[in-house]
Amino acid sequence: MDASLNVTLEAYQGPLDLLLDLIRKQEIDIYDIPVATITAQYLECIQHAQEQNIDVAGEFIYMAATLIYIKSKMLLPKDPDLPAELQEDPRVELVNQLLEHEKFRNAAQMLHEKQMLEAAAWSNPALQEFVDDSGEPGLAVGLYDLVKTFQEVLERARTRPRLDIEPEEVTTVQMIERVRDRLAECRGGLPLGELFAIYADNRRNLITLFLVILEMVRLQAIVLRQKEMFGEIFLRKHRGFNLLYSGPLEQLVRETSGAGESDEEASEPNAPAADS
Amino acid sequence: MDWKPLIEAIIYVADEPVTPDQITNALKEVAGENAPGKQEVQAAIDALLEDYRGEARGLEVKQVAGGYKMATKPQHHEAVRLFVKSLRPPVKLSLAALETLAVIAYRQPVTIPEIQEVRGVNAAAVIKTLLEKKLITTAGRKEVMGRPILYRTTREFLVQFGLNDLSELPSLKEFEELNKAAQTT
Amino acid sequence: MDWKPLIEAIIYVADEPVTPDQITNALKEVAGENAPGKQEVQAAIDALLEDYRGEARGLEVKQVAGGYKMATKPQHHEAVRLFVKSLRPPVKLSLAALETLAVIAYRQPVTIPEIQEVRGVNAAAVIKTLLEKKLITTAGRKEVMGRPILYRTTREFLVQFGLNDLSELPSLKEFEELNKAAQTT
């Protein structure tokens, strides 16, 4: 290869880049590429890279094959029956691709310049002085964030150590505390279904939760409301709600009912049986 | 040379009031020997203040704590506040909310326990936020124990994320390919 | 009434380019019946732009992404940089990323296979970078086999590159002529 070309493969984005550079540096007419010469130079570049143990990407090899294919096609005799203007030039497709690529290479250069110019200007909005901090902190997100986040969640779920523990069995008192605290945080009504979704994670807890809700109704700590038939049932605080905070819950439950059958702490030998 | 434009740019950009000394030093670094002396700087600052005085300008340069600072004129504060309020804020979601939304989007219809299974944390509070922002809605109940409520994304969700329908959600496989390609290069 | 001072204050305060519509609406809230119409607002904006033009000012009001934005004039960059400690690092993009961005900007909405055709190399890794920098976003799917995702540039792209809208991009034809000119010289 012409030593003055001095082309190293790493400097190129891809085969089109390399090819374009070979053509432009030698001031070759792009519409009349001497395919044999260019192919030889191109192959030499790749060979040179391989000698230096540089991984040559598949795209470069593919382009080499394309060039050799074009070269061989050009050696074929022309169809004598076809008029000259209908003779297909095997180089046309590659030339169009090169020209297209060059346009975008120039466009990239233009974008680079615009960006440099833009980066040279500073903005200092005084917005902060006028924003009240009522908005919750958060991120402005787009679709890409959504997908990426889901991927991260799945990845975390995959790598999360799994502890296979027996399902937690919640006592009546603990269950009352949970329902009470959840309801306390809640301004309006709490959908019953949500409570079951969260706390009834096994059959035993399902029964405990059910009994606890009945118990709380009986204590007039809550009321249950259903707006329409088969509609969602809502829990709401009732006048006895504060009673739930007034003292140890064991006392309250024991005095009033025997729902404590699943309540190990409360079921001491002398505790009243569940026959009230 | 007229130093006023440069001084204007410096005062505009600074978050804190800028003292004449700071300006003089900065100009020394930029202009070297040709830099203006302290008096020259002060004269330029005074001229700048004069430019901003008067009803024709919505901004002012004021002297605060021994330095100079740019600000909107007090008489426009009310209007500016109204403008800032009217800006439509972008979709703001906490990371927890975004995670939950992502799980719902890809697994819908889905129940709270199922979401928690994937995320490993309680999701109930975040569900409420997403319901309020109308990004998700209920979709009946799942016929399993406790008949938990099912959730799905809404039309508003599609609008906010620029989707025509759910089939336009990129598949995880498609994004994995982007990730893989990014790692190998 | 002269609305220019108020408009100046609003543009100064906003962290995103402000559109004439936003300004008109904000003034409606402030002034009610006396508020200026759209044309009057535009005239005031134009007068404001004129005020900021010329060497005597260190700041400029420019039209970006369909709105107006205040910034220092680029020629004061060095001096200003000395002053700002927390440098907002400009988005640095590789040549590969810029080329891919150029293809997307001119051919949008466009799929990855289509981008690769022009660039002759795999574009997936670069797409990921551009998505992360929010310079591009997805734009549905193309209704061809495999329903590949379409990509387009964002408003952030316009802001980062100081473009008012996509029509401000020089036509590809101009680049062709550039090539021809380079060849003949």
Side-chain angles (χ1 to χ4, degrees):
Chain A
M1 189 198 328
D2 185 346
S4 66
L5 273 177
N6 193 19
V7 174
T8 53
L9 208 51
E10 306 101 276
Y12 292 95
Q13 303 286 326
L16 289 175
D17 242 13
L18 169 57
L19 214 49
L20 205 53
D21 220 45
L22 285 173
I23 292 164
R24 292 303 188 205
K25 272 194 179 161
Q26 299 174 99
E27 291 173 19
I28 291 168
D29 178 4
I30 194 156
Y31 295 101
D32 189 20
I33 301 170
V35 180
T37 322
I38 287 290
T39 305
Q41 290 174 346
Y42 183 89
L43 291 176
E44 211 171 321
C45 279
I46 291 190
Q47 203 182 352
H48 182 69
Q50 279 169 333
E51 275 163 15
Q52 296 190 318
N53 288 325
I54 294 165
D55 269 342
V56 176
E59 299 133 7
F60 283 94
I61 309 289
Y62 180 77
M63 178 57 77
T66 307
L67 284 170
I68 292 167
Y69 173 73
I70 293 172
K71 195 173 95 176
S72 64
K73 254 191 128 177
M74 290 187 72
L75 293 176
L76 290 176
K78 289 177 180 164
D79 186 342
D81 296 337
L82 278 177
E85 63 268 23
L86 283 180
Q87 296 282 356
E88 202 191 320
D89 188 335
R91 299 171 295 184
V92 164
E93 202 184 324
L94 180 65
V95 168
N96 285 341
Q97 212 184 351
L98 281 170
L99 285 172
E100 191 73 356
H101 180 70
E102 190 167 43
K103 269 192 281 184
F104 284 107
R105 212 168 67 165
N106 289 333
Q109 187 57 37
M110 175 275 302
L111 284 179
H112 179 66
E113 280 157 17
K114 280 207 174 286
Q115 196 190 17
M116 294 299 287
L117 197 68
E118 204 47 37
W122 302 88
S123 262
N124 188 18
L127 189 68
Q128 277 319 309
E129 291 162 31
F130 291 91
V131 180
D132 44 9
D133 292 333
S134 58
E136 59 185 288
L139 358 145
V141 293
L143 189 57
Y144 177 68
D145 307 282
L146 188 77
V147 187
K148 209 173 130 196
T149 306
F150 187 49
Q151 241 173 7
E152 281 163 7
V153 171
L154 288 185
E155 185 61 25
R156 209 173 60 210
R158 208 172 57 74
T159 53
R160 189 170 58 220
R162 282 203 77 95
L163 298 172
D164 282 320
I165 41 168
E166 288 293 301
E168 185 193 17
E169 283 181 5
V170 183
T171 66
T172 311
V173 167
Q174 286 168 336
M175 192 63 91
I176 291 182
E177 278 170 354
R178 287 183 189 184
V179 175
R180 178 195 67 189
D181 293 346
R182 187 147 190 93
L183 193 56
E185 286 172 7
C186 187
R187 244 192 283 159
L190 188 63
L192 191 61
E194 193 182 312
L195 281 181
F196 277 99
I198 299 169
Y199 298 130
D201 44 4
N202 61 47
R203 190 169 291 272
R204 202 185 156 98
N205 287 346
L206 177 76
I207 296 167
T208 310
L209 177 61
F210 185 65
L211 291 174
V212 156
I213 287 169
L214 293 182
E215 179 66 16
M216 289 170 87
V217 172
R218 212 179 59 79
L219 287 170
Q220 298 200 308
I222 58 168
V223 282
L224 296 176
R225 283 267 161 76
Q226 189 178 29
K227 271 202 187 137
E228 60 203 354
M229 225 195 309
F230 307 119
E232 177 79 87
I233 298 174
F234 283 91
L235 271 76
R236 281 176 190 283
K237 295 171 211 159
H238 202 47
R239 63 178 105 87
F241 188 71
N242 287 331
L243 203 69
L244 297 177
Y245 288 99
S246 59
L249 282 170
E250 286 86 350
Q251 212 96 37
L252 205 63
V253 177
R254 202 178 303 163
E255 274 168 24
T256 51
S257 113
E261 65 158 3
S262 64
D263 184 348
E264 268 129 44
E265 282 163 67
S267 56
E268 284 145 34
N270 57 350
D275 56 1
S276 56
Chain B
M1 174 165 172
D2 183 12
W3 298 100
K4 206 172 62 177
L6 223 169
I7 294 172
E8 184 183 26
I10 287 174
I11 292 176
Y12 164 76
V13 138
D15 285 321
E16 298 282 317
V18 192
T19 65
D21 279 350
Q22 284 175 305
I23 294 173
T24 312
N25 290 337
L27 296 185
K28 233 172 243 146
E29 286 202 55
V30 188
E33 275 178 28
N34 303 321
K38 225 175 138 168
Q39 278 178 336
E40 216 178 321
V41 167
Q42 189 59 55
I45 293 175
D46 291 341
L48 188 67
L49 258 67
E50 195 49 44
D51 285 353
Y52 275 85
R53 231 184 294 274
E55 291 298 311
R57 302 296 309 269
L59 307 176
E60 60 180 355
V61 176
K62 53 182 182 177
Q63 209 167 354
V64 190
Y68 297 90
K69 191 178 166 354
M70 197 175 284
T72 51
K73 289 224 168 99
Q75 60 264 41
H76 302 308
H77 278 189
E78 219 10 66
V80 170
R81 211 184 308 277
L82 280 171
F83 162 74
V84 171
K85 247 184 154 173
S86 74
L87 293 175
R88 204 172 73 98
V91 196
K92 283 202 168 179
L93 290 176
S94 66
L95 187 61
L98 185 60
E99 277 189 22
T100 305
L101 186 59
V103 175
I104 295 174
Y106 279 95
R107 289 282 161 85
Q108 58 190 311
V110 68
T111 67
I112 292 186
E114 286 164 350
I115 297 165
Q116 285 173 183
E117 174 77 29
V118 183
R119 285 195 55 227
V121 282
N122 192 312
V126 171
I127 291 281
K128 196 166 162 258
T129 315
L130 295 174
L131 282 168
E132 277 167 4
K133 290 198 193 288
K134 300 203 189 303
L135 293 169
I136 60 167
T137 184
T138 56
R141 293 177 177 278
K142 190 163 185 172
E143 294 304 336
V144 297
M145 202 179 63
R147 300 188 72 228
I149 298 174
L150 286 161
Y151 294 92
R152 63 169 177 83
T153 55
T154 58
R155 219 187 99 77
E156 176 66 17
F157 165 82
L158 294 177
V159 172
Q160 293 275 9
F161 286 89
L163 296 164
N164 279 318
D165 58 57
L166 284 174
S167 76
E168 284 190 355
L169 266 180
S171 77
L172 285 182
K173 204 165 154 253
E174 285 167 307
F175 269 73
E176 250 155 46
E177 274 155 23
L178 294 187
N179 279 339
K180 248 184 250 152
Q183 269 156 21
T184 52
T185 50
Chain C
M1 176 167 170
D2 184 13
W3 297 101
K4 206 172 63 179
L6 221 171
I7 294 172
E8 184 182 27
I10 285 175
I11 293 174
Y12 165 75
V13 151
D15 59 350
E16 289 274 316
V18 192
T19 65
D21 279 350
Q22 283 177 309
I23 294 173
T24 310
N25 290 337
L27 295 185
K28 235 171 241 148
E29 285 206 55
V30 187
E33 274 177 29
N34 303 319
K38 228 176 135 167
Q39 279 181 334
E40 217 178 320
V41 168
Q42 189 60 55
I45 293 174
D46 291 342
L48 187 68
L49 257 67
E50 197 49 47
D51 285 354
Y52 276 85
R53 233 184 291 273
E55 290 299 311
R57 302 297 308 270
L59 306 176
E60 61 181 347
V61 177
K62 53 185 178 172
Q63 209 172 352
V64 187
Y68 297 88
K69 180 179 171 359
M70 194 178 284
T72 58
K73 291 221 170 101
Q75 58 263 42
H76 303 307
H77 176 68
E78 253 325 283
V80 169
R81 205 175 60 83
L82 286 169
F83 235 90
V84 185
K85 295 205 180 69
S86 56
L87 272 181
R88 166 190 61 146
V91 186
K92 280 229 165 164
L93 290 174
S94 65
L95 189 62
L98 278 168
E99 271 188 35
T100 306
L101 191 57
V103 177
I104 297 174
Y106 279 97
R107 288 283 158 86
Q108 58 190 314
V110 68
T111 66
I112 292 185
E114 288 164 349
I115 297 166
Q116 285 171 183
E117 191 151 327
V118 178
R119 292 202 51 235
V121 283
N122 191 316
V126 171
I127 292 281
K128 187 174 179 255
T129 313
L130 296 174
L131 281 167
E132 269 169 4
K133 296 197 190 291
K134 298 203 189 297
L135 294 169
I136 61 168
T137 185
T138 56
R141 291 178 181 278
K142 189 162 184 170
E143 295 304 335
V144 295
M145 206 181 61
R147 299 187 77 223
I149 298 177
L150 287 161
Y151 295 91
R152 63 167 177 83
T153 55
T154 58
R155 193 175 135 93
E156 179 65 20
F157 163 75
L158 295 177
V159 173
Q160 294 260 0
F161 289 84
L163 295 162
N164 191 28
D165 58 49
L166 287 171
S167 70
E168 275 197 357
L169 285 172
S171 79
L172 283 177
K173 234 188 142 97
E174 287 169 57
F175 290 119
E176 232 167 89
E177 273 147 26
L178 199 77
N179 284 344
K180 273 190 210 132
Q183 251 183 303
T184 51
T185 51

